Amino acid sequence: MSGVLDFLVEPWDQVFMRRAFLVAIMSGVVCGVIGTHVVLRGMAFIGDAVSHAVFPGVAVAFVLQANLVVGGAVAGLVTALLVAVFSQNRRLREDTVIGVFFAGAFGLGIVILSTAPGYSGSLESFLFGSILGIGDSDVLGVALVGGAVVVSALALSKEIVTVSLDRETARSVGLPVFWLDMALYAMVTVAIVISLQAVGNVLVLALLITPAACARLLTDRLGVMTLLAPAIGALSSVVGLYLSYALDLAAGGMIVLTATVTFLVCWFLAPRHGLVSRWRARSRPSQVDGDEDDRAAAVSEEGTGASSAG
């Protein structure tokens, strides 16, 4: 028992681990809340696209020796605005417009970085995360920005869901569809940017999508899903960090793997929508029919026996 307690307490004795836990938990919560809307809308592609879209901003910030996160946020928001504008043309699907602009943004980032010698090593933390090297200012920044994103998402939740379910109905009741699209793109961008330090550009999609996908399997109610997704995201981040500390493995990768294992468990064992439950639901009618046949046979035998006795 004492060994388990020591394992749980030991990482918190390290200042860098305390910062890592705080940022990981906050990133998991923010991505869980925003990921709920992304999964409901079927926009998983946008998470990967935004992670590419922030790249030119990071490249410019690197060349100018400015803050990489701020540069990425600006680039992501500008690209999100362009997608929101061009997506209003119903001739093109939303995912098509996203693919065009975010792929173009990533290409622009590569071109910009090619002008700066020795860039690859310096951007390793951006690509794969550097959660163990986070400072106090980073923790405060994630807390403030992440809190603002969560509050905004909860305040606009009803309207964003309405637009996601039926855009034409949303327009007919007077909802500002364009601005709600823009708000969602902006929140996705910010959620991804503040999570880059935790898991990096390569893995950030998993933190945005996987916890929300788990919650989607566990409940049919949006309110419950909005609570479950951030809880799963935060728990996966904490467990992943513990495993990373104990096994001396990459923190970002362990966080994502923990979330993925959680998804697999939900996919198999979710109460109503898991594989086991669906298998039982399919087999239950035949089992009931078999039981009824057995009962009918027993009644028939009883009746025959009674007639013979008479």
Side-chain angles (χ1 to χ4, degrees), residues 41 43 45-46 79-102 163 167-168 171 177-178 181-182 185:
R41 190 160 170 171
M43 293 172 57
F45 177 54
I46 195 176
T79 313
L81 174 61
L82 292 174
V83 169
V85 170
F86 281 82
S87 293
Q88 301 309 305
N89 185 337
R90 294 294 94 191
R91 180 67 176 174
L92 295 174
R93 289 174 55 88
E94 187 177 45
D95 57 352
T96 302
V97 178
I98 290 172
V100 170
F101 279 99
F102 288 127
V163 172
R167 298 176 69 85
E168 298 308 320
R171 284 194 178 94
V177 173
F178 170 78
D181 283 345
M182 186 62 220
Y185 293 147

Side-chain angles (χ1 to χ4, degrees), residues 14-306:
Q14 311 291 332
V15 176
F16 72 92
M17 285 300 296
R18 289 200 294 269
R19 294 171 181 159
F21 275 118
L22 290 174
V23 170
I25 291 171
M26 289 186 289
S27 297
V29 169
V30 174
C31 284
V33 172
I34 303 304
T36 297
H37 294 291
V38 173
V39 169
L40 286 176
R41 190 160 170 171
M43 293 172 57
F45 177 54
I46 195 176
D48 188 42
V50 168
S51 66
H52 287 71
V54 302
F55 199 57
V58 171
V60 172
F62 175 78
V63 172
L64 299 178
Q65 297 185 344
N67 187 288
L68 299 185
V69 174
V70 173
V74 172
L77 290 173
V78 170
T79 313
L81 174 61
L82 292 174
V83 169
V85 170
F86 281 82
S87 293
Q88 301 309 305
N89 185 337
R90 294 294 94 191
R91 180 67 176 174
L92 295 174
R93 289 174 55 88
E94 187 177 45
D95 57 352
T96 302
V97 178
I98 290 172
V100 170
F101 279 99
F102 288 127
F106 191 71
L108 177 60
I110 293 175
V111 170
I112 294 173
L113 281 181
S114 66
T115 65
Y119 63 85
S120 56
S122 301
L123 285 178
E124 182 179 355
S125 61
F126 169 77
L127 294 174
F128 304 108
S130 59
I131 193 169
L132 301 183
I134 287 175
D136 291 333
S137 59
D138 297 317
V139 176
L140 180 60
V142 171
L144 294 176
V145 176
V149 171
V150 170
V151 170
S152 301
L154 295 178
L156 296 173
S157 177
K158 182 179 178 180
E159 290 79 5
I160 292 176
V161 170
T162 302
V163 172
S164 299
L165 295 177
D166 193 334
R167 298 176 69 85
E168 298 308 320
T169 299
R171 284 194 178 94
S172 67
V173 298
L175 289 179
V177 173
F178 170 78
W179 292 111
L180 289 170
D181 283 345
M182 186 62 220
L184 179 58
Y185 293 147
M187 287 187 289
V188 170
T189 301
V190 175
I192 286 178
V193 168
I194 66 174
S195 303
L196 289 177
Q197 293 170 300
V199 295
N201 179 271
V202 175
L203 301 175
V204 70
L205 177 64
L207 199 58
L208 182 73
I209 301 300
T210 308
C214 294
R216 180 67 170 160
L217 289 172
L218 293 173
T219 182
D220 295 322
R221 301 181 61 182
L222 177 60
V224 178
M225 183 178 174
T226 306
L227 294 175
L228 279 177
I232 294 171
L235 182 62
S236 298
S237 298
V238 170
V239 173
L241 272 181
Y242 268 115
L243 293 175
S244 168
Y245 182 83
L247 303 175
D248 193 25
L249 297 173
M254 289 307 301
I255 290 173
V256 171
L257 286 178
T258 302
T260 304
V261 170
T262 304
F263 171 78
L264 293 176
V265 171
C266 293
W267 190 78
F268 278 104
L269 302 178
R272 290 187 58 190
H273 304 291
L275 180 64
V276 174
S277 296
R278 288 186 285 119
W279 178 80
R280 286 178 177 173
R282 285 197 297 267
S283 63
R284 189 174 297 121
S286 60
Q287 180 179 355
V288 172
D289 292 341
D291 292 341
E292 291 177 349
D293 292 340
D294 291 341
R295 284 195 295 269
V299 171
S300 175
E301 289 175 1
E302 289 176 1
T304 304

